[in-house]
Amino acid sequence: MLRVVKVSTKYKISINLVAWIIGVVLFIPLLALVMTSVRPFAEIVNGWWNLHNAHFTLINYRQVWDAGFWRYILNSLLIATFATILPILIAGMAAYGFTSFSFPIKTLLFLTLVAIQVVPQQAVIVPLLKLFRDLHMYNQYYGIILVHSTFALPWTIFFLRNFFKAIPKDYEEAAKIDGLSDVGIYFRIILPIALPAVISVAVVQFIFVWQDLFFALTLLRPDKWPVSAGVTTFISRYNPNWGQLTAAGTLSIVVPILVYVLLQKYYMRGVAGGIKG
Amino acid sequence: MGGRRWLTKDFFILMMPAFILLLIFIIYPLFNTFYLGFTHWDGMTAPKFAGIANYKEMIHDPLFWTSIKNNLFIFVVFLPLVTLIGLGFAVLLHNKAVFGRNVLRGLVMLGMVMPMTVVGIVWMLLLDPHAGIVNRILEIFGVPPRAWIQDPSTAIYFVIIGSLWAWQGFATTVFLAGLEGLDTEVLEAAWIDGANAWQRFRYILLPLLKPALIVVVTMSAIYILKVFDLIYVLSGGESVPMYLFVLAYMVYYEIFYNFRWGYAAAIATLLTVSVFVFSLGMLKKMIGERGVESG
């Protein structure tokens, strides 16, 4: 529809001014993090924004790296990668089961899924610790990967089911005539068509697992900690070494920021479409 | 989609992995936590049934009341603020007169993709009495510098500000998606009919955005009830000072510092119940909307 409303220049300038002031304010925390990480200690106490006689150095990164920070990054990569791939495979299968079969307890299963997607991590941690000890899963990568994968299932099944429902049934019928089984149809036909939805789920889940602190602290010892927990080992309440702390912080966010920047469109869709929090 | 025959091998291959995992790692532990809340247990020996002893103990536990007070305060301040900020940013970023909207949308989400522990570090830096920019800016307005985080009376604001910076991106994104799905003709018709900005917002935009509003309020409520990372960050490797305790941290503390697993389970149960209570509205809507009838 044609809009016949004149937008005045004054309005345009003021609304842009407001928007960009907010943008700058939102950006300052990240700027502070990176700026502090590349300054020597003596300059940080005068403020990272103070560029008078500024020196830039990578010494903080060097120290953090030598202190073993790379280990946390490797741990994060390992946990987040597997805790992203596994739930997508499993949730996709279940989502396909929900879209293409009717069965007696479907309503019950569905209500269960709806309800458990808000279960907090704290709600399961006490029995999980016992279970992990009994099954020797404590401080094992696969233990925390399985738990993160399971917590991803409810919302991932929803998200993918909604997408699968929109795929025309003709594809399935044709595949069936070609003699494919249901499992075969899922892997060869449905999953490839649903790739955009799968990427959305993957980005949201990867970033979410990368951020997790609670399961990391409770299910792993420090040597297997991901960056979210590892970065806290540089915190000291009374004598903060801001250079090292911010260098560790910056190293912790490189991967998720990169994933986010490259796949922003998919991430936004995943956040708005699923109810991941 | 009609009634396909379901008792097939393929059906079970598709459904079983998901439901076995859910049973082992969520459903069983969830009910077990509820039960363990009625026991005394140190995590090592067998749990002893204790009735409602743990819940009775909460009433006399100052740490518990501090946690409740902090949770409530953070909740009451955070929830309206994050909703208003998200709505405001979304309306602003939806406006076609704003230049570089995609860059701004990216900036809004920055805090959302970082680990909350890093968000905590950033705000510790910004609020530092010496190296922090917040004190320097306040100085310009005549406010003397202070140690916001170290001061027990203001430390809680660190948690609220950090959470706001991190989470407003979620609220903004959901509202933006809501705005983009709107039928702009209604808005334009109102514009032509001479409704002013406030009337258009109050009587047309807001009702149309109700689904987005429900999601934002519910998810934000759940998010802030579970606040943990920003509290943990302040511990600096030891335990958090008592005045900063919240329920989620208390669960962690009772398990790893006091070895009272039964008590921890009781507090976890309380936290879970409150999360469910705040989710009811949204869950009911989800069941209605994506109900099984539609297949």
Side-chain angles (χ1 to χ4, degrees), chain B:
Chain B
M1 197 51 211
R4 274 256 302 283
R5 124 196 111 76
W6 60 278
L7 274 170
T8 60
K9 195 180 84 203
D10 277 11
F11 174 74
F12 286 100
I13 293 175
L14 288 169
M15 300 296 271
M16 274 302 147
F19 281 91
I20 289 174
L21 282 178
L22 289 170
L23 216 56
I24 299 175
F25 293 114
I26 298 184
I27 298 168
Y28 169 72
L30 181 66
F31 286 107
N32 201 205
T33 298
F34 180 68
Y35 166 72
L36 290 169
F38 295 105
T39 66
H40 286 312
W41 190 28
D42 57 4
M44 306 300 274
T45 53
K48 281 188 218 56
F49 188 77
I52 55 165
N54 288 323
Y55 293 92
K56 267 190 190 152
E57 181 168 351
M58 280 180 204
I59 297 171
H60 304 290
D61 186 350
L63 215 50
F64 172 76
W65 287 111
T66 308
S67 303
I68 290 279
K69 206 187 79 206
N70 284 336
N71 268 118
L72 266 179
F73 182 72
I74 297 169
F75 186 92
V76 167
V77 178
F78 173 84
L79 199 58
L81 275 180
V82 83
T83 310
L84 286 176
I85 290 172
L87 190 58
F89 285 1
V91 170
L92 196 62
L93 294 182
H94 188 63
N95 194 320
K96 292 199 170 55
V98 173
F99 166 78
R101 287 186 297 160
N102 280 335
V103 178
L104 286 171
R105 282 178 196 199
L107 288 178
V108 164
M109 290 298 273
L110 268 182
M112 178 100 188
V113 297
M114 305 169 42
M116 280 308 283
T117 45
V118 179
V119 172
I121 288 169
V122 169
W123 282 96
M124 282 165 90
L125 172 66
L126 294 171
L127 292 169
D128 189 79
H130 312 291
I133 197 168
V134 171
N135 274 317
R136 296 305 158 84
I137 292 171
L138 288 176
E139 258 177 292
I140 300 171
F141 299 102
V143 182
R146 60 192 290 181
W148 298 96
I149 297 170
Q150 291 73 14
D151 182 339
S153 64
T154 54
I156 202 88
Y157 293 107
F158 158 85
V159 182
I160 294 172
I161 290 173
S163 305
L164 277 176
W165 182 68
W167 192 252
Q168 48 74 31
F170 173 82
T172 306
T173 303
V174 173
F175 280 130
L176 262 174
L179 284 172
E180 264 145 29
L182 287 186
D183 185 359
T184 49
E185 276 185 36
V186 185
L187 279 176
E188 276 160 27
W191 187 295
I192 290 158
D193 287 347
N196 66 32
W198 169 249
Q199 286 169 330
R200 287 199 305 273
F201 177 77
R202 172 68 188 81
Y203 294 104
I204 297 164
L205 205 56
L206 214 52
L208 288 172
L209 278 180
K210 204 180 156 203
L213 189 68
I214 293 175
V215 171
V216 168
V217 171
T218 310
M219 295 305 290
S220 305
I222 296 175
Y223 171 82
I224 206 63
L225 279 173
K226 296 190 296 189
V227 61
F228 172 82
D229 302 16
L230 285 181
I231 306 285
Y232 179 85
V233 155
L234 293 180
S235 67
E238 298 147 60
S239 172
V240 159
M242 190 188 152
Y243 57 83
L244 274 169
F245 266 58
V246 290
L247 289 179
Y249 187 81
M250 212 177 155
V251 173
Y252 174 81
Y253 179 81
E254 292 297 341
I255 295 173
F256 291 98
Y257 287 81
N258 285 348
F259 308 104
R260 297 199 292 179
W261 290 29
Y263 194 47
I267 295 164
T269 302
L270 211 70
L271 183 64
T272 309
V273 169
S274 45
V275 165
F276 268 108
V277 166
F278 281 100
S279 321
L280 275 180
M282 189 183 69
L283 295 182
K284 252 166 68 188
K285 222 185 130 285
M286 287 187 77
I287 292 166
E289 226 169 56
R290 318 184 193 177
V292 278
E293 305 83 62
S294 54

Side-chain angles (χ1 to χ4, degrees), chain A residues 13-264:
Chain A
I13 291 175
S14 49
I15 200 166
N16 270 290
L17 208 63
V18 172
W20 279 94
I21 287 174
I22 291 171
V24 169
V25 170
L26 288 173
F27 184 63
I28 283 178
L30 186 71
L31 186 71
L33 183 75
V34 178
M35 282 289 281
T36 307
S37 72
V38 293
R39 306 283 296 273
F41 187 76
E43 291 180 20
I44 295 168
V45 289
N46 293 321
W48 51 266
W49 58 89
N50 195 339
L51 290 176
H52 183 68
N53 273 336
H55 296 85
F56 294 95
T57 170
L58 289 177
I59 183 82
N60 296 316
Y61 286 89
R62 183 69 199 275
Q63 286 167 348
V64 166
W65 198 260
D66 288 344
F69 199 75
W70 54 271
R71 247 216 105 100
Y72 301 128
I73 296 177
L74 283 184
N75 290 337
S76 277
L77 281 172
L78 188 82
I79 296 167
T81 304
F82 282 99
T84 300
I85 296 170
L86 189 66
I88 287 176
L89 285 177
I90 295 174
M93 282 160 64
Y96 181 60
F98 269 115
T99 30
S100 67
F101 292 88
S102 322
F103 47 98
I105 52 163
K106 193 169 178 175
T107 315
L108 182 71
L109 286 190
F110 220 77
L111 293 182
T112 312
L113 274 185
V114 173
I116 59 182
Q117 62 187 332
V118 295
V119 169
Q121 297 174 331
Q122 285 80 8
V124 296
I125 195 61
V126 174
L128 265 195
L129 281 170
K130 168 96 165 69
L131 184 79
F132 267 46
R133 211 171 46 206
D134 293 348
L135 300 178
H136 305 288
M137 284 166 80
Y138 178 73
N139 199 34
Q140 301 286 345
Y141 291 118
Y142 73 87
I144 192 168
I145 288 169
L146 280 175
V147 172
H148 272 309
S149 300
T150 310
F151 268 76
L153 289 177
W155 74 272
T156 313
I157 293 175
F158 272 125
F159 193 87
L160 292 177
R161 188 192 82 120
N162 286 345
F163 199 91
F164 291 171
K165 263 166 63 182
I167 297 175
K169 293 291 160 210
D170 309 357
Y171 290 99
E172 282 180 57
E173 313 281 310
K176 205 145 265 178
I177 293 164
D178 290 345
L180 273 180
S181 65
D182 284 306
V183 175
I185 292 173
Y186 167 66
F187 278 105
R188 303 253 205 95
I189 314 279
I190 302 290
L191 215 49
I193 297 177
L195 201 62
V198 169
I199 298 174
S200 281
V201 170
V203 179
V204 173
Q205 172 68 1
F206 184 89
I207 290 176
F208 178 77
V209 174
W210 193 279
Q211 292 173 322
D212 171 69
L213 177 71
F214 191 74
F215 278 148
L217 284 180
T218 48
L219 302 179
L220 298 171
R221 289 209 184 91
D223 62 306
K224 292 212 171 74
W225 273 358
V227 288
S228 52
V231 77
T232 63
T233 59
F234 291 87
I235 296 172
S236 130
R237 203 189 299 168
Y238 299 105
N239 281 312
N241 184 335
W242 290 120
Q244 285 191 19
L245 198 49
T246 51
T250 308
L251 287 173
S252 308
I253 63 171
V254 171
V255 175
I257 296 262
L258 219 63
V259 169
Y260 166 64
V261 169
L262 292 176
L263 299 164
Q264 185 178 357

